[in-house]
Amino acid sequence: MSDPFLRAIVHVDGDAFFASCEVARNPRLHGKPVAVGGARGIVLALTYEAKARGIVRGMPTHVARQMVPELVVLPGEYGLYKLFAQRMYRIVERHAPVVERYSIDECFADVSQCADDLEGYWQMASTIQNELHRDLGISFSVGLAPSKVLAKVASKYRKPGGLVLIPPDGINAFLTGVSVSKVWGIGPQSAALLRNRGIERAAQFAALGVGEIRGSYARPLRDIWAELRGISVFQVSNLHTVQQSLAATRTFRPPTTDKSTVRAELALNVEEACARARQHGLSAGRAHCFLKSQDFQYLRFEVSFGAPTNATSRILEVVLGRFDQLFAPGIKYRATGITLSDLKDRSFSQAGLFGPDLYEQRLEAVYGVVDALGRRFGDGIVHCAAAAPAAHQLRPRIFSLPMLGEVY
DNA sequence: TCTGGGGTCCTAGGACCC
DNA sequence: TCTGGGGTCCTAGGACCC
């Protein structure tokens, strides 16, 4: 009848998601301070009980343990969180025609025309929220507004467990209480730019005139400005897109000038990236590598492969060849990384007119074995020689494999 | 916030062509 | 050849997000 929304968008956001999944799986953790640790011993996620005791994201786990001796620190299990995410998406999909699976703990739903009035929209959002809580045992924060940016602002407004609705005629009042730097899409650079122009609150930014926006702001901020005024620019899309790139990067300690150390670090990253590419059934046409120096300068280079590949030995050969040419002595490095791009679906290597040659077929078989060993004995059981020094934390064992020679 | 890791998208500007 | 104007493609790097 009097649908108040031109467009109605719901944003669903899991509260302390990784930690909540752990508690949902093991109810005995309920009410306790729990932290999920990531690689390099840093806290990735934590329950509100842990937050209340002063622990924050990014804190080294050993520091967190010192602060809160009874803290439960768990290693983190991505597969489990993915399962919860799948269940979250499906529940939302029961209620909305179009759902965008935005990240492991968030999704957007376009619910335009799904209710007649504010009360109806509120009911619908509330139902989604209750079902999520009931079925997953995790609390979610939910926002409903006329655009994605506003829906994000809304869901973040009353965490955890909030349900916040921003009607078109309530936008201005709402945004008065929101710092512009908290708006989705406005990062440190844009926030600083706005601050220089005297804009601190989201409401101030939204209040700028069309002329000023057109003349003084680039596309990203113009879009956000429109969204903040309740004009939907960013569509909710349920089309799943093919992955564009795949990266493996790592910081090591201490920073070093030693060529062989940096080389081995890079090789280990190449191995990891290739293993994940094979796991996803992807092959890469190109790769970008970087060496990051102690003072955060980057040495970057790009390599391309004749035909898309995910064979570690192929990529390693090209990458290390370039590395050896480009490595500059005397600079202290702290990290390396590789990003595979031009990803192609499936096929191990692009079949030519006559199909993959014998060498390719054998290489595929070899990596089938390498991956199987990884699954059986744990990732990183098999390393190529170039990466072995960087994998010193694993007990090395030497295998001799056809076409690869000795591998650790 | 003395700065981890994995992603996406956008834009300026160079190379090249007519 | 004291050098216009416009188009496309591509890359590097910035900015942002979770």
Side-chain angles (χ1 to χ4, degrees), chain A residues 85-376:
Chain A
Q86 292 294 331
R87 294 167 64 194
M88 164 184 78
Y89 302 141
R90 294 215 187 91
I91 289 167
V92 180
E93 281 160 358
R94 290 208 293 258
H95 298 275
V98 182
V99 175
E100 179 176 326
R101 303 178 169 204
Y102 179 69
S103 76
I104 194 158
D105 66 341
E106 291 175 46
C107 61
F108 290 97
D110 190 330
V111 295
S112 307
Q113 325 297 318
C114 290
D116 294 329
D117 51 21
L118 282 186
E119 180 60 26
Y121 279 110
W122 177 276
Q123 276 304 329
M124 150 175 267
S126 175
T127 303
I128 293 173
Q129 186 180 40
N130 289 334
E131 285 188 18
L132 285 167
H133 190 242
R134 184 193 68 202
D135 292 358
L136 301 188
I138 291 176
S139 92
F140 287 82
S141 296
V142 175
L144 195 155
S147 71
K148 283 173 101 172
V149 169
L150 286 172
K152 272 278 245 188
V153 169
S155 69
K156 193 152 74 169
Y157 196 71
R158 210 172 285 148
K159 260 183 163 294
L163 173 55
V164 174
L165 193 149
I166 307 179
D169 62 4
I171 294 173
N172 190 52
F174 200 93
L175 293 184
T176 307
V178 176
S179 162
V180 80
S181 65
K182 300 286 186 199
V183 173
W184 185 44
I186 298 183
Q189 299 298 317
S190 301
L193 172 85
L194 292 169
R195 202 177 314 116
N196 284 337
R197 299 178 182 184
I199 296 168
E200 302 271 359
R201 306 267 108 194
Q204 291 174 275
F205 182 51
L208 294 180
V210 196
E212 192 165 357
I213 281 294
R214 292 233 176 97
S216 316
Y217 293 90
R219 173 80 179 282
L221 280 177
R222 288 205 300 262
D223 287 346
I224 290 167
W225 171 83
E227 287 254 324
L228 284 175
R229 291 166 77 97
I231 299 156
S232 175
V233 178
F234 303 134
Q235 304 300 307
V236 176
S237 168
N238 57 3
L239 303 175
H240 98 285
T241 52
V242 253
Q243 189 170 10
Q244 303 286 311
S245 67
L246 188 158
T249 67
R250 193 172 38 258
T251 302
F252 47 89
R253 245 174 278 241
T256 181
T257 56
D258 180 55
K259 183 173 182 179
S260 62
T261 303
V262 180
R263 194 177 196 272
E265 281 291 334
L266 181 58
L268 192 59
N269 283 326
V270 171
E271 271 194 339
E272 281 175 18
C274 290
R276 271 166 43 214
R278 292 195 294 271
Q279 212 178 318
H280 294 263
L282 297 168
S283 291
R286 295 191 299 173
H288 293 82
C289 300
F290 74 81
L291 312 180
K292 193 200 295 192
S293 71
Q294 196 178 20
D295 52 348
F296 287 74
Q297 299 301 310
Y298 286 85
L299 170 64
R300 295 181 156 104
F301 59 92
E302 185 197 336
V303 294
S304 56
F305 318 116
T309 180
N310 57 24
T312 308
S313 60
R314 282 243 147 130
I315 296 181
L316 217 41
E317 186 186 349
V318 184
V319 166
L320 293 183
R322 288 296 301 284
F323 171 87
D324 290 337
Q325 291 168 5
L326 293 174
F327 183 83
I331 296 173
K332 266 195 181 176
Y333 292 104
R334 67 173 351 249
T336 72
I338 179 168
T339 300
L340 302 178
S341 56
D342 281 10
L343 298 181
K344 300 278 183 293
D345 225 0
R346 294 284 144 213
S347 76
F348 172 79
S349 73
Q350 202 74 336
L353 277 179
F354 306 100
D357 64 25
L358 200 56
Y359 182 82
E360 293 292 341
Q361 286 179 30
R362 285 184 176 166
L363 213 43
E364 181 166 8
V366 166
Y367 283 106
V369 172
V370 170
D371 295 338
L373 284 170
R375 283 192 298 275
R376 176 72 181 78

